[in-house]
Amino acid sequence: RDTQESPQPLPAQCERWLQSTISLSLRGLHQLAALPAEVASELQTQARALLARAYGDLGHIYASTGRYTKAMTHAKQGIELFNATKDKLHAAKLQLWLCRLQ
């Protein structure tokens, strides 16, 4: 008897991976905030870029699978996050994507 679980469809696997990436990136940014800027600056930049890419990719997965409301809600959350962290570039990119989605 086969006891292995059946694999999830690729979009579901990607969605879970991207959600984990977002969660870990947020935790990393929180931890890096406690370090001196000269130590953490480059790592914060990399973590923000990874976070922005994950937000964008997850939004694309939602939209490509017909979950437009979830995609828009997710993009708005990302925009709020990036505005709160003074990351105007990534906030603007998500805002543009949201405009195209609507």
Side-chain angles (χ1 to χ4, degrees):
R1 179 174 128 154
D2 186 18
T3 58
Q4 291 182 345
E5 292 181 27
S6 61
Q8 292 180 328
L10 188 56
Q13 290 176 356
C14 290
E15 182 179 342
R16 289 184 66 185
W17 183 84
L18 289 167
Q19 289 169 340
S20 295
T21 300
I22 289 169
S23 178
L24 290 170
S25 296
L26 289 170
R27 285 186 212 162
L29 283 168
H30 179 72
Q31 295 297 321
L32 288 169
L35 297 175
E38 60 272 6
V39 174
S41 180
E42 180 59 30
L43 292 172
Q44 287 173 325
T45 300
Q46 291 175 17
R48 282 192 183 108
L50 180 63
L51 184 61
R53 182 169 179 183
Y55 260 97
D57 290 350
L58 189 55
H60 287 289
I61 286 175
Y62 290 148
S64 69
T65 56
R67 295 178 287 172
Y68 297 105
T69 301
K70 194 165 188 168
M72 287 189 286
T73 300
H74 187 71
K76 289 175 184 176
Q77 288 172 346
I79 292 164
E80 288 177 19
L81 170 74
F82 291 122
N83 281 333
T85 60
K86 311 271 190 278
D87 188 344
K88 294 180 181 184
L89 174 65
H90 290 116
K93 286 181 179 182
L94 274 178
Q95 185 67 51
L96 288 171
W97 184 80
L98 180 61
C99 290
R100 286 192 301 267
L101 185 62
Q102 296 172 340

